[in-house]
Amino acid sequence: MADGYLTTHVLDTARGCPAAGMEIALYRVEGDTRAHLVTMTTNSDGRTDTPILPKAEFAPGTYELVFHAGAYLDATGVPPEAPRFLDQIPIRFGISDAGAHYHVPLLISPFGYSTYRGS
């Protein structure tokens, strides 16, 4: 069994606070196939209540997190656009170390975002 796990943290840099209530979907990617694993929603701290990919399910491979930023921005009162500049933000990344903690945070504003491998 692997000892690694996957987490995220979403911060709303335009409002200067955690992005509570954002839906995040996790997919495992193999070639051209994308298999849905789980969908979670961020809590008041901008994190999920449990790891997105816990130790029992953690395995090396290619994954994609899809952050539903448009729905979050709508819910926070950001004036809507048609279509919204940022709607769903996919971040595809690789997990190579089955024993590591992978942390993939998202910093979001209505017109930009950034991510990195955190700790």
Side-chain angles (χ1 to χ4, degrees):
M1 180 169 91
D3 286 330
Y5 58 102
L6 172 66
T7 58
T8 191
H9 188 197
V10 186
L11 297 172
D12 184 331
T13 57
R15 295 174 51 218
C17 63
M22 183 181 292
E23 186 174 287
I24 304 166
L26 175 67
Y27 298 86
R28 183 169 172 93
V29 180
E30 294 184 27
D32 292 334
T33 303
R34 193 174 78 148
H36 179 259
L37 299 178
V38 67
T39 299
M40 296 183 153
T41 303
T42 56
N43 60 25
S44 63
D45 192 37
R47 302 173 188 272
T48 56
D49 290 331
T50 60
I52 297 173
L53 193 57
K55 290 180 183 182
E57 301 166 28
F58 194 80
T62 302
Y63 294 86
E64 185 174 274
L65 284 168
V66 178
F67 296 84
H68 293 263
Y72 165 79
L73 294 168
D74 290 345
T76 60
V78 173
E81 303 170 285
R84 190 171 277 291
F85 180 69
L86 292 176
D87 186 20
Q88 294 185 14
I89 300 172
I91 300 174
R92 190 168 287 189
F93 58 97
I95 291 176
S96 59
D97 183 351
H101 172 200
Y102 282 76
H103 184 67
V104 182
L106 181 73
L107 305 176
I108 179 81
S109 76
F111 298 104
Y113 69 91
S114 66
T115 189
Y116 53 94
R117 179 170 176 194
S119 57

